């Protein structure tokens, strides 16, 4: 399954921008800012103890096993086909589960800037239209998808830099909108600690570029450089943007959907053309993010279907455009269903709808990372002879430490998405119940889908064998 490096189109800069577009999630920038000034402490802890080992692990796996399937191929080598399919199923389906959350924010921002009276029903309709436009983009040509991801990264960087610069300028002129004393910077149960999982989630996605194996010019040479460059840039941009928001808006007035526009209007002036322009950039960046998180995992799912581990329809590629056509179509259908279901839990506003859909989709996708990180350590032990052009430094002790750190952060993240008030000793079943039910449904249905795919492949193989025997 090795991928020749000479035929691809993506070099270091494009790989880095792809990683940045996948990892930087402007949709959750206000949620990470909602932790408050103490978020600086948690960002520092997460960056050192999660993003660094995560980047090292991804670089080693991506260069040792460069393949179109990416995470699917790595887990398959480590734990066999069924376990890899479980991870890929979650990884792929999360694209459809996460798409509504992004486009709920898109619709909310559109309404905030252009049509303040737009009802929730019309915003839901906009979510559905954007979902199917995304499916059309990624089913057309891979080059179009790559272009959208690069453009999305540029838009994200632009929005964050404007927010950060304007926020710190506002602090110098008017003082910060929140308390940034030493006491406020220290973590406490009274802060928005339920949003802590957002920080971890905001940093996953580096391995997505490995799913684009055929498109990489020289994965062995370029991937470690690009991931390191992207990781450093991502760390800076997240913290800079979050602080810009906190400089402008008091925590008790921060809205998860319109928070960025609220901050921009305070910083740049209500009705300013620059606010409109930056808001448009933000909305375009959401499209780039949805394309990234749908395009790459669909390829991994199609690879699994080709191997007979998911239903055959998922593995059907477009005969002309060479895109995983049906895998993308199914994501569109899943996104549509989730949008309509969670519209019923919205309580009349897009903020609760956004958080419910986001928590549900994030919990599903983050569970797959437990298997992903475990596969790294398993391959170090079971496959020592494969050449590793890049290795996590420090030998096996450091490999074990990196794996345990990443798995610990991911487990905490999954639990907090379902039970965000658990660290305060509380569980709100009205909010957590639907999310937990949704996660369990996805896990159970996944087992049924996987076994159906296996039976379908076994029946097909038997028919082929009997046809050969009879001839």
């Amino acid at each position: 399954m090795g991928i020749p490096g000479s035929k691809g189109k993506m070099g270091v800069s494009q790989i880095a921008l792809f990683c940045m577009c996948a990892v930087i999630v402007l949709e959750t920038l206000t949620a990470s800012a909602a932790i408050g000034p103490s978020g600086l402490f948690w960002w520092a802890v997460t960056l050192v103890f999660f993003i660094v080992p995560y980047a090292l692990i991804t670089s080693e796996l991506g260069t040792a096993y460069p393949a179109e399937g990416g995470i699917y191929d790595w887990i398959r080598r480590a734990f066999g086909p069924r376990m890899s399919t479980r991870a890929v199923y979650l990884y792929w389906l999360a694209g459809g589960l996460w798409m509504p959350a992004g486009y709920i924010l898109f619709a909310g921002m559109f309404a905030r800037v252009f049509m303040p009276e737009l009802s929730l029903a019309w915003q839901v309709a906009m979510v559905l239209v954007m979902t199917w436009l995304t499916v059309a983009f990624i089913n057309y040509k891979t080059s179009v998808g790559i272009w959208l991801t690069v453009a999305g990264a540029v838009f994200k960087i632009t929005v964050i830099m404007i927010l950060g610069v304007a926020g710190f300028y506002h602090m110098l002129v008017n003082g910060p909108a929140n308390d940034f004393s030493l006491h406020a910077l220290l973590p406490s149960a009274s802060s928005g600690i339920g949003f802590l999982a957002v920080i971890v989630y905001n940093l996953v996605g580096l391995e997505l570029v490995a799913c684009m194996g055929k498109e990489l010019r020289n994965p062995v040479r370029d991937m470690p450089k690009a991931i390191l460059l992207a990781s450093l840039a991502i760390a800076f941009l997240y913290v800079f943007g979050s602080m810009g928001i906190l400089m402008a808006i008091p925590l008790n007035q921060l809205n998860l959907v319109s928070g960025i526009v609220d901050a921009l209007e305070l910083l740049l002036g209500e009705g300013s053309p620059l606010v409109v322009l930056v808001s448009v950039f933000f909305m375009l960046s959401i499209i780039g993010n949805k394309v990234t998180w749908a395009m790459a995992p669909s390829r991994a799912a199609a690879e699994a279907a080709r191997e007979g581990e998911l239903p055959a329809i998922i593995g059907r590629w477009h005969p002309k455009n060479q895109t995983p056509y049906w895998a993308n179509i199914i994501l569109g259908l899943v996104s549509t269903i989730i949008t309509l279901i969670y519209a019923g839990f919205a309580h009349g506003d897009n903020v609760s709808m956004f958080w419910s859909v986001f928590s549900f989709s994030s919990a599903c996708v983050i569970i797959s990372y437990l298997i992903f990180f475990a596969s790294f350590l398993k391959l170090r032990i079971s496959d020592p002879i494969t050449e590793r052009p890049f290795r996590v430094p420090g030998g096996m002790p450091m490999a074990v430490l990196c794996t345990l750190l990443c798995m610990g952060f991911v487990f905490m993240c999954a639990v907090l998405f379902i039970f965000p008030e658990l660290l305060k000793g509380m569980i709100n079943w009205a909010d957590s119940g639907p999310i937990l039910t949704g996660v369990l449904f996805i896990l159970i249905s996944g087992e049924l889908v996987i076994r159906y795919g296996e039976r379908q492949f076994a029946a097909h193989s038997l028919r082929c064998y009997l046809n050969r025997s009879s001839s």
Side-chain angles (χ1 to χ4, degrees), residues 25-348:
V25 185
L26 285 185
E27 297 94 308
T28 59
L29 194 59
T30 50
S32 63
I35 300 174
S38 64
L40 281 174
F41 171 85
W42 291 115
W43 272 107
V45 169
T46 305
L47 290 171
V48 172
F49 294 106
F50 178 70
I51 193 64
V52 170
Y54 173 32
L56 292 173
I57 287 172
T58 302
S59 294
E60 178 170 325
L61 288 174
T63 53
Y65 309 99
E68 185 76 4
I71 187 174
Y72 162 75
D73 181 65
W74 304 335
I75 297 174
R76 180 184 174 88
R77 290 172 182 266
F79 297 115
R82 181 170 289 179
M83 187 63 75
S84 69
T85 309
R86 289 186 179 119
V88 168
Y89 169 81
L90 289 172
Y91 194 70
W92 163 66
L93 200 63
L97 301 176
W98 164 232
M99 201 179 296
Y103 285 137
I104 289 165
L105 189 62
F106 180 101
M109 179 164 285
F110 180 89
R112 177 75 170 76
V113 176
F114 298 108
M115 299 179 68
E117 302 303 319
L118 191 67
S119 68
L120 180 63
W122 279 107
Q123 291 183 45
V124 169
M126 185 179 293
V127 171
L128 298 178
V129 170
M130 294 307 302
T131 292
W132 288 103
L133 280 176
T134 301
V135 172
F137 284 141
I138 59 180
N139 268 337
Y140 178 52
K141 285 183 180 179
T142 301
S143 58
V144 173
I146 292 174
W147 180 85
L148 285 170
T149 62
V150 171
V154 173
F155 289 136
K156 289 179 182 182
I157 294 169
T158 302
V159 172
I160 289 177
M161 292 304 296
I162 291 174
L163 267 174
V165 170
F168 279 90
Y169 177 78
H170 181 275
M171 178 198 67
L172 293 174
V173 174
N174 303 300
N178 292 284
D179 178 17
F180 280 87
S181 65
L182 178 61
H183 175 74
L185 292 174
L186 296 176
S188 67
S190 62
S191 65
I193 203 162
F195 295 107
L196 179 59
V198 177
I199 292 181
V200 178
Y201 182 82
N202 279 348
L203 294 170
V204 300
L206 290 175
E207 75 294 334
L208 274 175
V209 73
C211 296
M212 305 297 295
K214 290 180 180 177
E215 305 300 327
L216 306 186
R217 189 175 302 149
N218 191 325
V220 171
R221 182 195 65 194
D222 295 342
M223 194 180 296
K225 295 179 184 177
I227 288 178
L228 175 61
L229 176 64
S231 299
L232 295 175
I234 289 163
F236 168 76
L237 289 169
Y238 265 136
V239 174
F240 193 57
S242 297
M243 291 302 102
I245 293 174
L246 290 173
M247 295 299 176
I249 302 180
L251 267 178
N252 59 4
Q253 298 177 23
L254 186 60
N255 184 291
L256 293 183
V257 172
S258 64
I260 289 181
V261 179
D262 295 340
L264 288 170
E265 288 189 338
L266 280 170
L267 297 170
L268 305 175
E270 188 172 351
S272 167
L274 188 55
V275 172
V276 176
L277 180 62
V278 176
S279 299
V280 171
F281 282 177
F282 185 100
M283 288 185 282
L284 292 174
S285 76
I286 292 176
I287 297 174
N289 186 262
K290 299 309 111 187
V291 167
T292 306
W293 275 95
M295 183 172 62
S298 285
R299 290 172 173 265
E303 184 75 11
R306 283 176 167 180
E307 299 290 334
E309 292 147 13
L310 284 173
I313 191 173
I314 298 173
R316 294 181 185 175
W317 287 58
H318 195 284
K320 180 180 177 182
N321 298 332
Q322 290 301 299
T323 53
Y325 185 80
W326 274 102
N328 294 330
I329 290 289
I330 292 170
L331 286 188
L333 293 172
V334 170
S335 177
T336 299
I337 294 169
I338 294 300
T339 299
L340 296 175
I341 289 175
Y342 273 89
F345 293 99
H347 308 301

